Amino acid sequence: MRDLGAGFGHLLAGQRWVGRHGRQYGFGLLPGLITLVLYAAALVALGVWGEDGVAWATPFADHWSSPWQGLFRGFLTAVLFALGLLLAVLTFTAVTLLVGQPFYENLSEKVDEDVSPDGTAPRSGLPLWRELWISARDSLRILVRALLWGVLLFVLGFLPVVGQTVVPVLGFFVTGFFLTEELTSVALQRRGVELRERLALLRSRRTLVWGFGTPLGLAFLVPFVAVFLMPGAVAGATLLARELLGEENARDEAAEDGEPVSS
């Protein structure tokens, strides 16, 4: 339970950090706004032409009698839109991080410099194109894992009682885990931590990860909220990454020495 609180504390600390650094927050909003417009357009298109797509994909139902044809295709259209919405939630962070790689990289470095005892931040030393390639490759691998979990939970959702109670809760925890992986990748990738090692780190402190990612995933379900929380989420994920790696913070050292800690 302590780790759950600590994870949520990192989430709040990240939001407070960007609140004190308005310029970093402003730049951090741009990638989320761009991604939001793209996703909104895609979902609107799915809502407008989704039914036509389902009709095209199910020609065998053309001669079904009413109301079975309408019920069948209506169900498939609803499932298609629900899957599109799930895909949007699962991939929004990854796409936003990819679009805003230079912005979030800089923001994460500023957080490291601010809390590091020596005022420095780890840097990968890789060219931007190489960082973008690694980020895109790892995001695709995570997306495949997340989609497998999404399909499994979708199927389990048809189970009586369990599908309407336990499965949605599991879905939020799964979303929180993968969301945290994507966000911490900004700081961990700069430190040369590969995807497999990142996943092992997160699994070793699952309750810490859930405390950070699950409430954030719930907040991201509210329209437009993800855009405004993304900069703080990246900042908080940097603090979380430092704890996962056992790195010391200047404020922690000051507290241990009995010195006053400034906010």
Side-chain angles (χ1 to χ4, degrees):
M1 293 301 294
R2 178 182 175 277
D3 266 358
L4 279 175
F8 187 63
H10 287 312
L11 178 60
L12 295 180
Q15 301 302 327
R16 288 196 298 267
W17 192 92
V18 295
R20 297 194 303 270
H21 299 78
R23 185 178 180 184
Q24 294 294 326
Y25 179 67
F27 281 121
L29 288 176
L30 294 177
L33 290 171
I34 294 171
T35 309
L36 179 64
V37 171
L38 294 175
Y39 272 58
L43 288 174
V44 168
L46 187 61
V48 172
W49 290 294
E51 188 174 355
D52 292 337
V54 168
W56 172 82
T58 57
F60 56 85
D62 286 344
H63 304 293
W64 287 12
S65 60
S66 179
W68 304 115
Q69 183 194 83
L71 290 174
F72 176 69
R73 286 179 170 169
F75 172 75
L76 289 183
T77 301
V79 169
L80 179 64
F81 190 83
L83 287 175
L85 190 60
L86 175 63
L87 184 63
V89 171
L90 291 175
T91 61
F92 181 87
T93 301
V95 174
T96 303
L97 290 175
L98 188 61
V99 170
Q101 179 78 15
F103 297 95
Y104 295 135
E105 191 84 15
N106 181 261
L107 189 155
S108 181
E109 286 182 6
K110 295 296 185 185
V111 174
D112 270 324
E113 291 172 356
D114 188 43
V115 302
S116 176
D118 58 4
T120 62
R123 289 177 172 82
S124 66
L126 298 174
L128 178 60
W129 71 267
R130 179 65 177 169
E131 290 182 349
L132 289 173
W133 163 250
I134 294 173
S135 179
R137 180 197 64 191
D138 290 349
S139 293
L140 182 60
R141 292 174 177 174
I142 290 298
L143 175 60
V144 171
R145 289 178 168 88
L147 286 177
L148 290 175
W149 271 99
V151 171
L152 175 62
L153 292 173
F154 179 76
V155 172
L156 292 176
F158 289 99
L159 294 176
V161 183
V162 174
Q164 293 74 49
T165 54
V166 177
V167 172
V169 174
L170 289 176
F172 285 124
F173 280 104
V174 170
T175 300
F177 181 90
F178 287 116
L179 187 59
T180 304
E181 195 288 326
E182 290 287 356
L183 290 165
T184 53
S185 68
V186 178
L188 294 175
Q189 187 176 309
R190 280 192 293 109
R191 291 162 167 80
V193 182
E194 296 292 335
L195 176 60
R196 184 171 297 181
E197 188 179 352
R198 294 205 302 264
L199 290 172
L201 274 173
L202 295 172
R203 289 173 185 140
S204 69
R205 301 284 298 277
R206 281 190 177 91
T207 50
L208 180 70
V209 170
W210 289 334
F212 180 90
T214 303
L216 185 62
L218 287 168
F220 275 18
L221 293 176
V222 182
F224 307 112
V225 166
V227 174
F228 296 101
L229 292 185
M230 270 297 290
V234 173
T238 301
L239 300 174
L240 179 65
R242 293 182 66 88
E243 178 167 346
L244 288 171
L245 294 173
E247 297 178 359
E248 294 182 340
N249 293 334
R251 290 185 175 85
D252 295 339
E253 289 191 343
E256 290 175 2
D257 294 339
E259 299 175 5
V261 180
S262 59
S263 57

